[in-house]
Structures are given as C-alpha cells and as structure tokens.
Amino acid sequence: MQYSLGIDAGGTYTDAVLIRNRNGKVVDRAKSLTTYPDLIMGIHNVLGLLNREYMENINLVSVSTTLSTNTLLEKTGASASLILIGDHPLERELAAENYVFIAGGHDQNGEELTPLDMKKVEEHIKKVQGNVSVFAVSAYFGTRNPEHELKVKDKILELTGKPVVCGHELSQELGAYERAVTALLNAQLIPVTTKFIRSVIHEIEKLGIQEKMLMLRCDGSVVNIEDALHRPIETIFSGPAASLVGASYLADQNTCAVMDVGGTSTDVSAIYKGLPELKTEGATVGGWKTRVKAIDMETSAMGGDSHIWVTKKSINIGPRRVIPLCVAATHHPHLIEILSKQAPTFRVMENENFQPTRFFMKSQPDHQYIDPQEKEILDLLDEQPVPIQTISHQLNGMPSANVLDSLVQKRLVQPIGFTPTDALHVLGDYTEWNVEASEKGAEMLSKLLRKDKIELCENIKEMFAKNMSRELIHFLLPDVNEKVIMDILNGKYPARLNLDIPVALVGGPVKAYVDEIQKILIADIKVPESFEVGNAVGALMGKGIKRVEIMIRPHSLQRPEEDFLVFAPGQRKQFKKYVDALDFARKTGEDTVKGYMNKCRIDSDRVKITFEKKTVVPDSWHHPPMETRLIVMGVGTPNIG
C-alpha cells in the first residue's frame, strides 16, 4: 500500500498528514508548534508523531509554507543587487538600496536598441560583490529578447559564482517595473529558501524516503521542489493556497468559498470548478506589486492568537499576535501561580501592552543592535514569562510602549496575553491547552469591564464570528459598501445575507464558530473531517498547472504576409510563413507543459492540455493576424485517489 505525505509549515502550527493513494483517505495526521527562527525543528517534531508503519511506504511528499511571505513581510531576505538594463530610469521606488542602471535593452520586436554596456556591468559587479549575496537582472523588453539579461547573468556567475535571477525567467508579461521587483524579491528569497528546502529534503531522506518531492505554489499548483529553489517568489501565499485546495478536497466541493482561521490571520478565498480563482494582476506582498500569479484572497490580521485587550469600556481584538495564556502555561506551569497572585486591576489600560494579562519573555539571544532603553528592559527578562507589572515596578515607572513594540518586532521579546483561543477554553469549546490559565485571565479582564467571565468570553466569540462573516461577505461581494455589510451583520435591518455558495472552514478550532456564523448568515457551512490539517492536505492536492503564453506578430506591418516573430518563454524565433510560426508555437507550448509535468512526475495520462488562440484582426485586414496569442494550458492530477 502506497501513501503520500503532506507538510505545511504555518505561522503557528506545522501540520503533517498521510493519505492513502488508493482511495485518497486521510490515515494519519499530526500537529506541532512551528519553531522560530528554524522551521525545520517544527517539521522534525511533527514527522515524529506520525505512524512509522505508513512512513515506510511513501511515494510522494509535498510541502507548503509561509516562509517566503514572512521573509518579505519582515524584510529579512538576503542582501541583493538589482541590475536594470535600459535607457529610461524607473521613477518609482524599488525594494532595494543597491541597484544600478546599465545602457542596453531592446524594442518591442526584440531588436537591440542600445548596445549593452558590459564595462559598466563588470565595474558594478566588482564594486558590490563583497556586500551582496545574490543578484537580480531585468531589462526593458527582456521578455521579447533575453539576450542582454543572459549576458549579464553569465558575467555575474563568471566573476562571483553567486545566485542570479533574470526577469524573463519569472514572467513573460510586459511591465518593466513589476518584472524588476519580482526578480529582486525572488533573489532576496533564494538563500533562505535554499536552506529551508535543503533541510526538508535532508529530514525526509533521514526517514529513508527517497521519492519525489513537490512544493505548493501560490496559485494552488505544485512544482518540483528543486525548481522551487530557483523560483521561491512563486511560493508566497502558498499557505492560503494550500488551505483553499485542501478545504475543497476535504469538503468534496469543486466550487466553494474557504475560510482558513490560523493563529495569526484569517484568509478567505474561493475555488470554482476545481480551479482556484487567481488575481487578475500579480500578487502584492509587503507593499510591492509583482508579476507572480497568485490565488485571489483577502487576509485579515485576526486569528486565534490575536491579542485580546481591554479599555474601560471596550474589548479589542488584535491586530498583534501573542502566545495564548493557555499555551504559555502548558510550557511554563509557574505562569498559573503568577496569574493567581496578579492584582485584578491595572491603572493604565489604554494601550495593549499595559494589561493585567500581558507578559513578556526573552525569545533569543540579543545578537543585534539594541538601544539603551531596549537593553534596560531586556536585562529584566529571561526565558520565563514576566508580567508587565513586574517590569514597571523594577523600572520605577511604565516602560515605553514604543520600546516594547520594537523589542517584539526584532523578535528579541515574545509577548503573551489573552486571546480568542483562551476565550474558547473558558467556554469549553476547545480545550487543547491549559484551561485554568485561560480562566484566570478571563476573570481578571472581566472584572475590569464589570462582566461575568463567561459573558466576556461569549462577547469575544461573537465578535470573532462577526469579523469572520464580514471578511467572507467583503470577499464575495467586493462592490458592496462595507458600512452596508456591517449594518446588516449588526442587525440594523431585519435581514440576513443568504450565500448561494458553500463555505468550507479549516484550521484551528473553527467548529466552535459555526453556530455563531449561522446566526449572522444564511449559508451552507461545512467543517470537513481533518479540517485541522487542511493546509497539509492542500499541499498534496495541488494540481500540476502550467500556463504558457506565446505571441506571434509580423516583423513589419509593411510586409504583413511574410516574416513573423514568435516570442516564447526565454526565446525569440523568426519564420517566413505564419503557419510555420503557429506550428512552432503549438509545439513549443505543448513541450513546455509536458516538461513541467514530467518534473512534477505527473503521468502523461493524467494531464489534459488545451489550446486557446486569440487574434487581433482589424477591419478590412486581409492578411494573417496582426497579433496572435496562443495560450497553452496543462492541468495534471497527482497519482492520489
């Protein structure tokens, strides 16, 4: 009997699942806390929880992760230099301080406009090679003729041996700025992704597994894991893509909306007829617009680990993430004693750092620069939770909220606090961790608001469900005014919104929110079996999807009957006859799709290839099309189920 192993390294948990290939059934699953900064330890831990008998018969491994997304959001990628080829400087900001403009470039037909200034290229490489780890190269109309990009790449490899990414390797679309940003971000990700993937491969091989390995991309498709080493930018948002594909599979719904409630955020997306909805434009990450095709989704900074903090009159959820009291007490049992001795009131409550349930602990050695105020606080902490009251007492005054925030942002300090997960523990809806710690935290906050602790937690649960409903409606009805949506959800009108599309929930304790959501919406809510590890299932269930677009156009409109240019990924060809150009385009597209599927080790009999031809033929035009776009689409299904 053969099995497939799916792994998802998420923001809070690392999940693993084993699926029987014969019938596609989940036979084992496990969860472990994600480990920072080294994710591989979390993967090692979760694999150790799986049934060893099944693990001896694995013939496919697939991985999804939030690593690329978090690296870009946290700006912890490798140092990179961007070489831009072309005579026209980009006026918009770039995601790097180290970049240079080099003379060169081509026109829209791929003809050289300006010779490449190779002397300046060499001077720049020698100048920066000691300060950067990777290079990115992007030329104007590099997609129409990559000659200059490739010459610069060869020179970088010759002089430095360091990784190089070219814009034409990642996107065939025009848009010099977006393509340059895509190449640069991809370059910044290569070292960290290489370390992660090599570690995963090593961990899998230690288990005696020598079979094929795949990685989920942000459009819901899979790629050979070795190829992911060179194009890590395509794995941004692979976590949400995994939840979408996994939820659809587990709920047995080809068409549905999906809500994935994680520790850090809630993601909403949709799948139609088995294929994820993609953004019409490239994905935006960390404020940078790219040419990477990703699933269409919305993310809110609200998850099970969002910090619950109160003022004198209100309850607030997030947006910052903390370790829930129930989780912290499981790993640090003495936290219960501290909570028992804490004063039920606290004189400053207008900031989320100054809460009676707020704790801090040192999370890693202080190996980076810190200013004197940060050092003063850091010296008061160790690897055990310290309440904010104790910090204030030892400082003889309130610590600066900005200083605390800076320490958290630098990951030198880990905050602990009351969360929606704690509220569910108090209500008995989800009791995976230490219930007593959650109850003590709820008692302290409820006294500040003059509520009963059960009433407080029910209010939090209702708020969370209402936020989930708002995000879902906003995604499905993007043109409807948000105030109108909130008025309906808040009961201002005698009406409830009725959804015609099923909604699948995955991740964490989502079952706890079904009844609350159905009080707000009329919807077919599905919480499938194995919903807790939906992302790991999705890592396995991504299809092999390859889309190739090839363009044909006359070399000159003065001679539209002869001499045609073909622009295919990474190449430019010229043909005398239109029919020969079209035949070349079809064969090139088909071969590219088959090669991609072969790398993903998807059998050819499980691949469907379609061709779509779009032409531009003006009125009274009696020649071959002025422009032809041939779109070759291949969809392959892994050998599961």
Side-chain angles (χ1 to χ4, degrees):
M1 194 76 68
Q2 295 293 308
Y3 302 90
S4 295
L5 168 64
I7 303 168
D8 175 67
T12 303
Y13 289 101
T14 295
D15 302 339
V17 63
L18 286 166
I19 290 181
R20 184 184 294 118
N21 291 351
R22 178 171 55 82
N23 56 12
K25 297 294 184 183
V26 175
V27 296
D28 198 13
R29 61 195 183 208
K31 296 178 77 72
S32 180
L33 287 171
T34 295
T35 52
Y36 290 104
D38 187 4
L39 301 185
I40 201 63
M41 184 53 65
I43 291 176
H44 173 84
N45 293 340
V46 79
L47 292 178
L49 299 174
L50 293 173
N51 187 307
R52 303 295 297 181
E53 182 181 344
Y54 296 138
M55 297 285 281
E56 294 174 0
N57 296 286
I58 288 172
N59 71 345
L60 171 66
V61 180
S62 191
V63 182
S64 66
T65 180
T66 60
L67 176 64
S68 293
T69 309
N70 292 343
T71 298
L72 295 180
L73 291 175
E74 295 164 6
K75 300 179 180 178
T76 54
S79 56
S81 178
L82 173 62
I83 297 177
L84 292 154
I85 304 169
D87 294 329
H88 308 289
L90 297 173
E91 296 179 355
R92 285 177 280 179
E93 185 181 0
L94 288 165
E97 296 180 358
N98 192 325
Y99 61 90
V100 65
F101 291 97
I102 303 290
H106 295 78
D107 64 16
Q108 61 181 356
N109 279 340
E111 305 287 355
E112 186 177 79
L113 277 176
T114 307
L116 178 64
D117 187 349
M118 189 56 76
K119 181 181 179 182
K120 188 173 180 182
V121 170
E122 291 191 32
E123 289 174 353
H124 177 73
I125 295 170
K126 292 175 181 178
K127 177 182 176 183
V128 304
Q129 63 179 333
N131 300 320
V132 300
S133 302
V134 288
F135 289 84
V137 183
S138 185
Y140 276 85
F141 285 109
T143 57
R144 298 290 170 85
N145 190 334
E147 178 188 12
H148 286 181
E149 288 187 1
L150 292 173
K151 283 184 176 180
V152 174
K153 178 176 182 176
D154 289 343
K155 183 57 66 175
I156 293 170
L157 292 174
E158 175 192 329
L159 295 177
T160 73
K162 294 182 177 181
V164 191
V165 177
C166 292
H168 79 272
E169 296 170 334
L170 301 171
S171 173
Q172 283 299 298
E173 295 186 39
L174 298 180
Y177 174 77
E178 289 81 4
R179 202 168 60 253
V181 168
T182 305
L184 176 61
L185 296 180
N186 191 86
Q188 291 174 345
L189 288 171
I190 285 178
V192 66
T193 304
T194 298
K195 179 183 177 183
F196 172 74
I197 289 177
R198 293 296 183 205
S199 297
V200 171
I201 292 172
H202 178 68
E203 199 67 33
I204 294 299
E205 289 178 345
K206 274 170 42 180
L207 296 172
I209 302 170
Q210 302 291 333
E211 299 299 330
K212 61 183 177 182
M213 292 185 65
L214 305 176
M215 198 159 188
L216 197 75
R217 302 194 307 175
C218 52
D219 62 357
S221 67
V222 290
V223 64
N224 180 283
I225 200 164
E226 292 288 343
D227 287 348
L229 289 171
H230 307 293
R231 302 164 74 104
I233 189 71
E234 293 180 350
T235 65
I236 58 172
F237 305 129
S238 75
S243 70
L244 174 62
V245 175
S248 170
Y249 176 81
L250 291 171
D252 195 22
Q253 298 290 321
N254 260 353
T255 297
C256 63
V258 171
M259 295 195 74
D260 176 17
V261 181
T264 307
S265 63
T266 295
D267 301 321
V268 188
S269 52
I271 191 166
Y272 294 93
K273 296 182 180 179
L275 292 177
E277 282 285 279
L278 300 183
K279 289 184 180 293
T280 54
E281 299 180 343
T284 299
V285 57
W288 301 108
K289 187 176 179 182
T290 74
R291 281 295 184 211
V292 178
K293 293 297 183 185
I295 64 166
D296 189 11
M297 68 167 189
E298 286 193 9
T299 300
S300 65
M302 176 197 67
D305 297 348
S306 295
H307 186 213
I308 301 293
W309 54 288
V310 302
T311 61
K312 293 178 181 178
K313 296 181 180 179
S314 66
I315 304 170
N316 305 277
I317 301 181
R320 294 194 177 109
R321 174 191 168 204
V322 296
I323 298 176
L325 293 175
C326 54
V327 175
T330 301
H331 299 288
H332 306 280
H334 81 289
L335 181 61
I336 297 292
E337 182 181 353
I338 299 175
L339 283 166
S340 300
K341 296 178 179 178
Q342 286 283 81
T345 58
F346 196 58
R347 63 188 180 90
V348 177
M349 297 190 309
E350 299 302 320
N351 182 288
E352 68 170 302
N353 279 319
F354 306 127
Q355 301 283 310
T357 52
R358 187 73 154 167
F359 296 79
F360 296 90
M361 61 182 182
K362 194 179 289 188
S363 57
Q364 63 183 39
D366 45 338
H367 59 275
Q368 55 184 299
Y369 171 76
I370 56 174
D371 64 32
Q373 285 183 297
E374 291 174 334
K375 185 178 187 308
E376 186 179 22
I377 293 176
L378 206 58
D379 287 344
L380 300 176
L381 304 177
D382 55 28
E383 295 180 359
Q384 297 294 324
V386 177
I388 184 65
Q389 291 95 322
T390 300
I391 296 173
S392 300
H393 177 74
Q394 293 182 347
L395 292 176
N396 294 317
M398 293 294 175
S400 163
N402 291 334
V403 173
L404 288 171
D405 290 342
S406 176
L407 287 169
V408 171
Q409 188 174 5
K410 291 178 180 178
R411 290 192 173 182
L412 295 173
V413 165
Q414 179 66 62
I416 299 168
F418 195 80
T419 66
T421 299
D422 288 299
L424 294 182
H425 276 68
V426 174
L427 296 173
D429 293 332
Y430 179 72
T431 54
E432 284 289 311
W433 305 95
N434 191 300
V435 176
E436 185 181 1
S438 298
E439 289 182 338
K440 289 187 178 298
E443 287 170 4
M444 297 170 74
L445 294 179
S446 61
K447 288 179 180 178
L448 294 173
L449 295 169
R450 298 183 180 178
K451 291 177 179 281
D452 174 81
K453 70 177 181 182
I454 299 298
E455 181 187 6
L456 169 71
C457 293
E458 286 177 342
N459 289 347
I460 292 169
K461 181 179 175 181
E462 181 183 354
M463 289 173 63
F464 199 92
K466 193 169 290 184
N467 284 339
M468 289 175 65
S469 301
R470 181 194 64 203
E471 296 299 326
L472 176 62
I473 297 300
H474 189 266
F475 177 79
L476 295 175
L477 304 174
D479 297 328
V480 177
N481 183 280
E482 188 166 349
K483 182 180 183 303
V484 174
I485 293 174
M486 288 310 300
D487 284 344
I488 295 173
L489 297 182
N490 288 327
K492 182 176 180 179
Y493 305 111
R496 282 194 297 162
L497 291 164
N498 189 345
L499 303 182
D500 287 336
I501 186 172
V503 180
L505 304 183
V506 291
V510 290
K511 271 188 175 179
Y513 296 107
V514 173
D515 290 343
E516 288 293 333
I517 293 173
Q518 290 185 323
K519 290 177 186 177
I520 302 168
L521 303 173
I522 301 172
D524 180 12
I525 306 290
K526 298 181 180 297
V527 182
E529 188 177 350
S530 301
F531 67 91
E532 321 95 298
V533 290
N535 285 32
V537 173
L540 278 173
M541 293 304 161
K543 293 180 171 66
I545 302 173
K546 184 64 175 178
R547 184 180 188 274
V548 183
E549 186 170 316
I550 301 173
M551 188 175 74
I552 305 170
R553 58 188 299 172
H555 187 274
S556 170
L557 294 181
Q558 277 68 49
R559 300 191 308 275
E561 293 284 354
E562 61 181 33
D563 209 6
F564 296 89
L565 295 172
V566 180
F567 302 103
Q571 55 183 320
R572 171 183 177 268
K573 296 289 185 179
Q574 197 163 346
F575 295 87
K576 284 291 184 183
K577 296 180 180 180
Y578 175 77
V579 65
D580 293 336
L582 187 59
D583 286 345
F584 172 81
R586 287 180 65 90
K587 186 176 187 309
T588 298
E590 187 173 4
D591 289 347
T592 302
V593 168
K594 288 179 177 178
Y596 176 88
M597 297 299 171
N598 185 53
K599 282 189 173 183
C600 294
R601 302 190 193 177
I602 297 176
D603 295 341
S604 58
D605 61 350
R606 300 177 73 96
V607 179
K608 180 181 179 181
I609 301 178
T610 59
F611 299 86
E612 180 184 3
K613 186 170 71 170
K614 297 180 179 180
T615 59
V616 176
V617 181
D619 293 340
S620 70
W621 182 265
H622 304 295
H623 311 285
M626 187 178 291
E627 181 176 288
T628 301
R629 288 185 183 273
L630 184 68
I631 300 158
V632 185
M633 174 73 83
V635 179
T637 307
N639 304 322
I640 300 175

